[in-house]
Amino acid sequence: MHKNKKLLIAANWKMTPPTVNEARRKALLFKGIAKRYLKAPKAKASLQVLVCPPYPFISELRTVFKNSPALVGAQDVSEHDGGSKTGEVASTMLQSLGVSHVVVGHSERRAVGDTDEMIAVKLGQVIRTKTQVILCVGESIRDEEGEYLNVVKAQLKASLARLSNADFSRVVIAYEPVWAIGRDDNMALSGHDLHQMVIYIRKMLRDLYNDSIATATKILYGGSVTPDNAEDIIWNGEVDGLLIGRASFEADSYEAICKAIALPTHSSMIMREATMRKMKTIKNNKSRPSVDKSKEKVLKGMKRVKKGTRKIRVARAKKTKQK
Ligand code: PEP
């Protein structure tokens, strides 16, 4: 287990809560969590709380989070920078509200028409306004032949097409397998399987760009994260944080996730491994895709990236120590 890990724990409130009063009440609770977990005593990681509420609540959250480490993000942005575009919200508007991160390419936006090309333009808009972008990628199904790896590669390639190398300091990638979103926690990827995907994404970034982008770019995981699986996902998955949907609708479950990550007990990891083993023995369960066949493909040629990742981790730990 690596100490001094800095993790981004992003809450995607989606289209909740129904009123601004409710948003304010919830935001106050998240503000407390942000303070408690930025540097919790005996914690194995420092957690950065980020809340992405619906657009109308952004200002309210900014007010509540004033003088606190909690950040406010947005769930989407327009491709356009202004003008006669009814219902759209420009990145400059989000910037003027003090938004730190903008989610782009979420599967629920892709489902209503966002294409990789549109996502590439949105990415450019966010980066132009000096804001961090959380780019969501992830396959809809996980086939035995490993075609899902090409799906993720194509999404990354097309979405990042317009960026310069320097722009990457503002890019966070959220790997969110669509089949794992909105399910129960047994459908989340296991930490072990996630780690393979993280290595593969870093390999793709190295192939498409260079070693330092491959190792320095932050990768989050999203898809049915709960307090029961968070520890395994973070500590075995080797991700730099999470993008949490439903479990972030209530401050209690969000905080339980933070606690499981920052103060890991190992017991949840052991329990989860046992559940995963049990699930693998249920031969007829076709709904949870297997990764084993494509494993070899994923691991091939990744040793160099792994080495680079280790180097970055050591460098990051040193930096944190110096601070
Ligand atoms: C999401 O919508 O980004 C997400 C990860 O949702 P959930 O955690 O509910 O699966």
Side-chain angles (χ1 to χ4, degrees):
M1 188 165 292
H2 323 290
K3 289 189 180 182
N4 305 317
K5 204 162 169 161
K6 258 196 167 173
L7 303 168
L8 179 65
I9 311 298
N12 175 9
W13 282 3
K14 307 196 184 198
M15 208 165 78
T16 75
T19 66
V20 68
N21 284 343
E22 185 102 354
R24 188 183 311 116
R25 183 192 64 78
K26 256 175 60 167
L28 280 164
L29 299 173
F30 275 73
K31 182 180 178 178
I33 299 169
K35 279 190 191 154
R36 282 194 287 283
Y37 286 92
L38 187 67
K39 277 186 188 149
K42 298 196 179 138
K44 298 286 180 206
S46 144
L47 308 190
Q48 173 71 69
V49 169
L50 165 70
V51 181
C52 304
Y55 289 137
F57 304 151
I58 287 175
S59 282
E60 189 62 35
L61 261 69
R62 282 284 295 155
T63 306
V64 174
F65 289 170
K66 206 169 168 206
N67 301 323
S68 108
L71 302 173
V72 184
Q75 297 173 16
D76 194 20
V77 69
S78 175
E79 289 165 83
H80 308 285
D81 48 17
S84 303
K85 303 288 173 194
T86 305
E88 301 269 312
V89 174
S91 192
T92 46
M93 297 169 182
L94 297 173
Q95 182 190 30
S96 73
L97 293 177
V99 158
S100 64
H101 293 71
V102 178
V103 177
V104 165
H106 190 278
S107 61
E108 286 156 11
R109 301 306 318 163
R110 290 180 189 260
V112 292
D114 273 19
T115 61
D116 282 330
E117 290 68 33
M118 287 163 71
I119 291 160
V121 177
K122 289 182 176 191
L123 225 91
Q125 291 287 8
V126 178
I127 284 167
R128 219 183 336 277
T129 53
K130 301 195 179 346
T131 306
Q132 297 274 323
V133 66
I134 299 179
L135 167 67
C136 298
V137 294
E139 75 282 1
S140 302
I141 49 164
R142 192 167 270 218
D143 57 302
E144 296 277 327
E145 288 71 39
E147 184 53 32
Y148 67 93
L149 297 170
N150 291 331
V151 171
V152 173
K153 185 174 188 171
Q155 285 176 342
L156 281 172
K157 204 171 168 185
S159 316
L160 301 172
R162 294 167 182 244
L163 302 191
S164 70
N165 286 7
D167 292 335
F168 270 87
S169 60
R170 296 209 161 86
V171 176
V172 175
I173 292 171
Y175 172 61
E176 296 208 301
V178 181
W179 51 264
I181 294 179
R183 312 293 293 267
D184 63 43
D185 73 343
N186 283 337
M187 292 299 285
L189 215 56
S190 73
H192 174 263
D193 291 349
L194 175 60
H195 189 205
Q196 289 176 17
M197 196 64 198
V198 168
I199 293 170
Y200 188 69
I201 290 174
R202 296 206 186 280
K203 176 184 165 2
M204 286 187 237
L205 291 175
R206 181 170 55 83
D207 291 349
L208 295 171
Y209 298 94
N210 59 43
D211 271 347
S212 67
I213 285 176
T215 49
T217 303
K218 286 200 157 85
I219 301 178
L220 313 182
Y221 169 79
S224 298
V225 177
T226 68
D228 289 337
N229 61 28
E231 180 182 341
D232 172 47
I233 287 171
I234 286 287
W235 294 108
N236 291 328
E238 295 277 347
V239 277
D240 300 294
L242 301 170
L243 180 54
I244 309 168
R246 290 155 305 147
S248 75
F249 293 177
E250 294 302 330
D252 282 354
S253 47
Y254 179 87
E255 178 154 19
I257 290 174
C258 293
K259 190 173 172 197
I261 297 166
L263 306 166
T265 60
H266 297 293
S267 62
S268 59
M269 283 162 69
I270 293 161
M271 270 173 61
R272 183 159 160 76
E273 280 303 312
T275 314
M276 296 308 295
R277 269 200 302 277
K278 210 163 132 194
M279 286 193 69
K280 275 176 185 162
T281 62
I282 304 171
K283 289 261 183 345
N284 291 334
N285 182 0
K286 299 253 192 265
S287 59
R288 190 179 189 286
S290 145
V291 294
D292 285 349
K293 269 202 173 171
S294 43
K295 202 155 127 186
E296 266 176 46
K297 209 171 171 183
V298 175
L299 292 174
K300 214 174 158 192
M302 288 180 195
K303 279 189 186 147
R304 262 200 295 157
V305 182
K306 234 180 166 179
K307 219 169 152 188
T309 314
R310 236 176 271 130
K311 261 192 218 161
I312 278 280
R313 202 191 298 132
V314 172
R316 278 187 191 167
K318 262 191 199 160
K319 237 183 184 178
T320 322
K321 249 188 192 168
Q322 278 162 9
K323 277 180 196 166

